[in-house]
Amino acid sequence: MTAAKNEPTETTVEKILDVDVSTEMQDSFLEYAYSVIYSRALPDARDGLKPVQRRILYMMSDMGLRPDRGHVKSARVVGEVMGKLHPHGDSAIYDALVRLAQSWTMRVPLIDGHGNFGSLDDGPAASRYTEARLDATAMTMVEGLDEDVVDFVPNYDNQLTQPDVLPSAIPNLLVNGTTGIAVGMATNMAPHNLIEVVAGARYLIEHPDASLDDLMSFIPGPDLPGGGTIVGLAGVRDAYETGRGSFKTRAKVSIENLSPRKTGLVVTELPYLVGPEKVIAKIKDGVTSKKIQGISDVTDLTDRTHGLRLVIGIKTGFNPEAVLEQLYKLTPLEDSFNINNVALVDGGPLTLGLRDLLVVYVNHRIDVVTRRTRYRLDRRRERLHLVEGLLIAILDIDEVIQVIRTSDDTDAARSRLIEVFELSVLQAEYILELRLRRLTKFSRIELESERDRLREEIAFLEELLASPALLRKTVSDELDEVAEKFGTPRRTMLTEARPSLATTSKKAQPVLEVADVPCTIYLSTTGRVVRVDREDGDDDRADGPAVSVRRSRHDAIRSQVDTTRRGEVGAVTDTGRLIRMPVMDLPAVPANSVQLAAGVKVGDYLAIDGKREKIVGLVSLASPVPIALGTAQGVVKRVAPGAYPARPDFELIALKPGDRVVGVAQHSDDDELVFITSDAQLLRFFQASVRPQGTSAGGMAGINLGSGASVIWFGSVPDGEESVVVTVSGSTATLAGTDPGSGKVSDFAEFPPKGRATGGVRAHRFLKGEDVLTVAWAGRAPALAVGTDGSARTLPEAGAKRDASGVALGGVVGSIGAARL
């Protein structure tokens, strides 16, 4: 009889193992945690890539998807990566590929995407609809993989190999940042500017003992892809020191007139990874719940041509600055970024500070260059060995042919060649494979040239391996080339201004009106602007106690304006344009010691192109005193107050072709205007002699210029003040910024006043070899001189005659300003 179905037979052995559930769960969870930490979520500190990102870049390089080739379907890339290297879901691979192509996520994108790769508010199209290829920057990540620069490890089924790490010629981890959640740990790293990171890495290469402060002078803070403003840098320093910290980012918002009777807030940059739809939703929720007041409408005008533009309308009667303060507190217009620099180092997760990250990367590049040099040296030695064998054969080619013809077979021919010509096995084999067309005279010349070139290259490579200093210099030079090729200007402005999210009490009601306290805005001669808030009753203006400037970098004052925190001042440029500048977001410093180095660059704050346009001074838009302008061609103009156009910027003067504004002043009729020219002439005259004009006028003659001369300084000297004139002379035959020249300080009273439209009086006698004034200034004593690097320069003692010669200076003077106002 046969056994019944499912009934065990005599050969069936039932084996049941008893397993402790707690032990099995423990082991399985540890194995899972290990896989997530090391194979998915955390980047390698050397190339800044997670395994899936590294496999995508390597596979695309292996597929030949270079920038000079056409795009291919993203689905094809995903399939290749999944089938050969990454045994996980296709969605995870495609998500990683998309992130590598998004310019708002990556500071330096590594993949050139074609098609819908999403936006800040929407996801990308499916992989079958998009196309991709490597970006030019990604080629620097994989460059040299065929030169044994990194180790290769088996793939998941041991049939193929993949790089354990990429050569990474750019410091990708710091430049692009990363985010990931592992088991029991997470990483969240902010993007940085490539030029700044490379500068810090090069400094570390030259100075291995560099401190954090040294490195932060090159890398002051993150540089987010979407721009915006980072407010409060204490958390950034904490992150750079310990690997953990946080900072707050603000949107870039300007107050503009949307119509003659309506004002609005225009948002052109948002915090990192914050989309306009998220901001609009939060604003609508706040208006509906009556937590946000003063907003009439929100319009999203963002497009691919003009970029982000979110217009927030303000109701009539509401203060735009106060409404903006509400939005900073209650919407993502101000957001927080928590830094947690966790990355894999030597196979284990570590929390790294800025210096640690740079050290790991620099050591990786040194190792890559060392291995590349050894590989190239071996290849060139091998080639030289063959070339020398060929030259031996060509020099006695008749005998070589005779030896081969008289040999019975290939082995015999090889042996006889080795014996007769003292060749190696490789050389003899290479000669046997030689084609007859290589036996020409021209080929011999080519081989001799190649031999000489190979010997030079071998000597250089041997020297490179023997000299650690030369090796480090090579790494530094290659980094400099990458920064020059792919670097872009900083997008995110850094400021020490206090963030708005200071209200911690949930019961506290948002205050619509911000305190409109008096304040003074200072502009340094090196272009930094700060705000000094004054309590009620305090007065640090010119008619009150003088405000001292702490001796530090950027400490010479060009101009000051008294205003209020909710007010605005005008920044005048050398093109004659006045730009309205809200003062609320300017960094504030203590009134008892104005430290201008804590300010922001006024050009960055106003987003102007410093190569085409420069700020020459600040003025008050609420003052009844006219604005005085002086130009390089000697034109003077006073602009009548109170009739300024209600636009964010407007022209103050109609300049002649080739002319530019060199100075701006705003003082009473009792004060005097002063011109100083390049040929050392000074003219002073009372402001009352210049009739105020409208903004469209071109001004009138201010000073008569000599042949080839131009105005180098224009300003106003207060009546009755103890003032001085500082002049620095030099030569047009020397390179600018190399010769300190000579300078002198004279009392302003030494210069007699003359009428407007005259030539003035001589202000400086040139020494032999000098023919031009390079820097000049007149104003309230004492004066401060600043070098081109922002450091203080020593000026001669005051009291020199007006037409005397100067004395030699100890350093190049870049600008001169007041020590107090």
Side-chain angles (χ1 to χ4, degrees), residues 626-629 635-639 669 673 675 685-693 699-702 714 756-757:
I627 300 172
L629 304 170
V635 174
V636 65
K637 178 183 178 181
R638 295 181 77 202
V639 183
D669 289 351
L673 298 177
F675 281 96
F685 55 88
F686 286 103
Q687 298 200 46
S689 64
V690 182
R691 176 178 53 84
Q693 300 175 308
M700 58 187 70
F714 169 82
R756 180 182 61 81

Side-chain angles (χ1 to χ4, degrees), residues 102 173 196 256 265 289 345 380 410 496 534 600 603:
Q102 291 177 335
L173 187 57
E196 296 175 353
E256 299 183 9
L265 304 175
S289 61
V345 179
R380 280 155 181 76
T410 302
E496 290 285 1
R534 302 192 304 271
V600 297

Side-chain angles (χ1 to χ4, degrees), residues 449-662:
S449 299
E450 184 180 2
R451 178 196 60 192
D452 296 339
R453 177 177 56 82
L454 287 171
R455 287 175 177 174
E456 292 177 0
E457 292 178 356
I458 289 173
F460 171 74
L461 294 173
E462 289 175 342
E463 180 185 4
L464 187 58
L465 285 176
S467 173
L470 185 58
L471 196 67
R472 296 176 73 88
K473 182 180 182 302
T474 301
V475 173
S476 179
D477 292 343
E478 291 181 359
L479 283 173
D480 186 47
E481 292 176 5
V482 169
E484 183 176 355
K485 185 175 182 180
F486 301 109
T488 55
R490 167 171 281 275
R491 299 174 185 173
T492 302
M493 187 172 70
L494 307 175
T495 175
E496 290 285 1
R498 182 178 59 84
S500 292
L501 298 180
T503 304
T504 57
S505 173
K506 295 182 179 180
K507 296 181 180 180
Q509 297 295 326
V511 180
L512 180 60
E513 298 291 336
V514 295
D516 197 18
V517 300
C519 64
T520 302
I521 310 302
Y522 291 95
L523 175 67
S524 75
T525 58
T526 50
R528 290 188 173 268
V529 61
V530 295
R531 186 186 82 231
V532 178
D533 294 332
R534 302 192 304 271
E535 299 295 334
D536 293 341
D538 291 347
D539 192 354
D540 58 5
R541 293 169 291 183
D543 56 351
V547 176
S548 299
V549 179
R550 184 178 299 172
R551 297 287 295 185
S552 63
R553 296 171 65 89
H554 314 292
D555 57 1
I557 299 174
R558 183 187 298 274
S559 60
Q560 78 165 39
V561 175
D562 295 323
T563 180
T564 61
R565 189 188 295 176
R566 282 167 38 195
E568 64 179 3
V569 299
V572 181
T573 73
D574 59 354
T575 63
R577 187 165 66 113
L578 185 145
I579 305 173
R580 294 178 181 269
M581 184 172 70
V583 302
M584 182 181 297
D585 288 337
L586 287 173
V589 296
N592 59 356
S593 183
V594 179
Q595 191 173 11
L596 300 183
V600 297
K601 292 182 179 179
V602 66
D604 294 343
Y605 184 78
L606 297 176
I608 64 173
D609 186 351
K611 296 182 180 179
R612 300 182 179 180
E613 193 174 21
K614 299 183 184 299
I615 303 297
V616 297
L618 303 179
V619 295
S620 172
L621 298 176
S623 173
V625 179
I627 300 172
L629 304 170
T631 76
Q633 295 181 4
V635 174
V636 65
K637 178 183 178 181
R638 295 181 77 202
V639 183
Y644 306 125
R647 297 196 301 268
D649 64 286
F650 53 89
E651 301 296 330
L652 279 179
I653 182 174
L655 291 173
K656 296 179 180 178
D659 201 4
R660 60 185 178 85
V661 175
V662 296

Side-chain angles (χ1 to χ4, degrees), residues 375-393:
Y375 177 88
R376 291 177 178 178
L377 179 60
D378 292 341
R379 299 293 82 76
R380 280 155 181 76
R381 284 173 174 171
E382 293 172 359
R383 178 60 185 170
L384 178 62
H385 184 63
L386 297 177
V387 169
E388 289 174 340
L390 278 178
L391 285 172
I392 293 174

